[in-house]
Amino acid sequence: MFYLLVVLHVIVCVFLVIVVLLQQGKSADLAGAFGGQGSQTAFGPRGAANLLTRLTTWCAIIFMLTSIGLTILMQKRTGGHSVLEGTKATQSVPAKK
């Protein structure tokens, strides 16, 4: 189960990088080069979500879920322990007056 989740996580990571790099920027057209946004909205024109934006959203959701799943599986696999488990506890002595 762990290795299947790792493979799925790596595939989703690579696919997410590719999908994000394929997307066109918000102001990548000719009007954006000269400062024109083509709309009076605060953050520029917002078109309908196309296939790439939906793929990006779903890849991000799957990436987060696999990250949480891997964290839970690693916690169960290695057993819960503290980072400070092997250190010696020192007690401070109050200063003499």
Side-chain angles (χ1 to χ4, degrees), residues 12 16 54-67:
V12 168
L16 184 62
R54 290 181 190 204
L55 283 176
T56 304
T57 303
W58 282 108
C59 283
I61 291 170
I62 294 170
F63 174 78
M64 289 178 204
L65 290 176
T66 55
S67 297

Side-chain angles (χ1 to χ4, degrees), residues 31-96:
F34 297 106
Q37 291 291 332
S39 177
Q40 297 297 324
T41 59
F43 298 110
R46 175 77 176 142
N50 60 4
L51 179 66
L52 286 177
T53 56
R54 290 181 190 204
L55 283 176
T56 304
T57 303
W58 282 108
C59 283
I61 291 170
I62 294 170
F63 174 78
M64 289 178 204
L65 290 176
T66 55
S67 297
I68 293 170
L70 284 171
T71 303
I72 292 170
L73 286 177
M74 281 302 293
Q75 187 71 18
K76 288 181 181 179
R77 181 177 240 200
T78 60
H81 57 81
S82 174
V83 176
L84 301 175
E85 196 171 274
T87 61
K88 295 181 180 180
T90 59
Q91 293 181 350
S92 60
V93 179
K96 295 182 182 179

